[in-house]
Amino acid sequence: MNLHIQQAGNITTITINRPQALNALNKEVLEELAEFFNTNRHNNAIRGIIVTGEGEKAFVAGADIKELSALSQEEALVLSQKGHQLFKSIEDFPKPVLALVNGFALGGGCELAMACHMRIATENAKFGLPEVNLGLIPGYGGTQRLTQLVGRPKALELAMTGDMLPAKEAKELGLVNHVVATKQEGLDMATKMLSKIAQKAPLAISELIKSVNAGFGFEKAGYQAEAASFAHLFTTKDFVEGTSAFMEKRAPNFTGQ
Ligand code: CO8
């Protein structure tokens, strides 16, 4: 198991537990998350969920780059579409899902945090979509959700530069709800907020989530375009160069091929 799942009263905490790879999302993590969110959609014992990463250094440092580097275009398309479905099932989950972002939330990690309904970040958290450093673009809905959250110019700036955004700046942009000093403080705040929501009418909360999401059009072309472009880039030399450079711990030399 790559997920550590704890139940305290009616609140469930899911901790992604691959600290040796900064909690990067490999296929197993994605499958375990899908299993949890599909199985517990109608579980009345759960009234709120906290998603976090093991340790203090990373929430999730992205998709697992070693795994990505071996994928074909077809496999990348399938994985991206599966990721879209999983992240949509989190976004549409009928109970509040809150990301407690403790450190790096990069690439797929930032995309996971953005698919949650709310985000609390520790002061050391850093958000970013650095896929361009690998010759890629975000493949788990980041082009759509970052744009929804911070607007087109800032989303394009962040995704084109690959820069990391510190927690306080992320809050100023509306990417983060609250910034706290420590992970424990974040857990306390998240628990308090979810406990308050748990006292409201559950059907009203689920209809609220449904209504807010209905305005954002998952069925529109953006997600499909993202998956197609993401997969197309797997056929390029720059993708091979970008992922090789990461694994060899050196700067990439891109040629536009
Ligand atoms: N995947 C796999 N392993 C990783 C990842 C990752 N994303 N991030 C870190 N690791 C590993 C490192 O390789 C290293 O392993 P080892 O000790 O065996 O060398 C270990 O974690 C610790 O990392 P570092 O030594 O690099 O730690 P630093 O403190 O020096 O740096 C950083 C921390 C800045 C976070 C750095 O690790 C980094 O840049 N990581 C990659 C970030 C990134 O590019 N993320 C985006 C990935 S692409 C993506 O998410 C696409 C999403 C869409 C997917 C759709 C799928 C179809």
Side-chain angles (χ1 to χ4, degrees):
M1 277 296 276
N2 297 280
L3 301 184
H4 183 213
I5 298 175
Q6 278 171 301
Q7 183 83 16
N10 51 20
I11 295 170
T12 304
T13 302
I14 302 174
T15 306
I16 298 169
N17 186 20
R18 295 188 70 219
Q20 72 285 3
L22 303 188
N23 303 322
L25 301 174
N26 62 5
K27 279 187 198 160
E28 285 175 12
V29 175
L30 293 174
E31 276 163 21
E32 289 171 28
L33 282 171
E35 158 90 19
F36 177 87
F37 282 98
N38 292 335
T39 314
N40 288 293
R41 223 180 134 72
H42 303 293
N43 180 349
N44 291 332
I46 297 177
R47 300 289 289 276
I49 292 174
I50 300 169
V51 180
T52 192
E54 179 60 31
E56 306 286 334
K57 187 169 174 179
F59 172 69
V60 168
D64 191 305
I65 297 171
K66 289 163 200 166
E67 206 175 78
L68 280 190
S69 68
L71 296 183
S72 67
Q73 178 177 7
E74 291 72 26
E75 289 166 331
L77 183 63
V78 169
L79 197 59
S80 175
Q81 287 167 338
K82 269 194 181 170
H84 279 175
Q85 287 308 324
L86 164 63
F87 286 20
K88 182 63 182 155
S89 76
I90 296 174
E91 188 167 66
D92 283 345
F93 202 68
K95 309 145 199 290
V97 184
L98 191 153
L100 173 56
V101 180
N102 52 311
F104 293 113
L106 302 175
C110 185
E111 293 174 296
L112 172 61
M114 292 192 294
C116 296
H117 300 132
M118 296 166 285
R119 285 152 290 284
I120 293 176
T122 54
E123 272 169 6
N124 72 330
K126 287 199 169 67
F127 294 80
L129 294 179
E131 285 87 345
V132 283
N133 298 329
L134 302 167
L136 286 175
I137 64 166
Y140 285 149
T143 62
Q144 307 305 298
R145 291 195 179 95
L146 186 63
T147 309
Q148 287 163 16
L149 285 164
V150 306
R152 202 158 19 163
K154 205 67 201 176
L156 279 169
E157 180 186 331
L158 285 168
M160 288 198 287
T161 60
D163 282 349
M164 290 187 210
L165 201 60
K168 283 190 179 146
E169 287 178 40
K171 181 167 182 282
E172 280 161 25
L173 285 178
L175 183 55
V176 159
N177 295 60
H178 301 280
V179 179
V180 290
T182 62
K183 192 173 175 188
Q184 188 54 52
E185 205 181 306
L187 277 171
D188 293 344
M189 183 188 271
T191 304
K192 202 169 157 193
M193 200 191 290
L194 292 176
S195 301
K196 187 186 233 183
I197 298 170
Q199 287 164 32
K200 315 295 177 194
L203 295 177
I205 296 297
S206 86
E207 293 300 322
L208 191 62
I209 294 168
K210 196 158 93 179
S211 302
V212 169
N213 289 350
F216 286 98
F218 180 73
E219 304 313 327
K220 285 193 190 146
Y223 287 92
Q224 289 155 38
E226 179 190 272
S229 293
F230 175 79
H232 161 67
L233 290 166
F234 277 69
T235 63
T236 66
K237 286 187 179 154
D238 280 348
F239 162 69
V240 176
E241 169 61 9
T243 49
S244 306
F246 175 79
M247 291 186 287
E248 291 160 19
K249 299 188 187 286
R250 62 173 174 83
N253 177 20
F254 292 129
T255 58
Q257 298 173 71

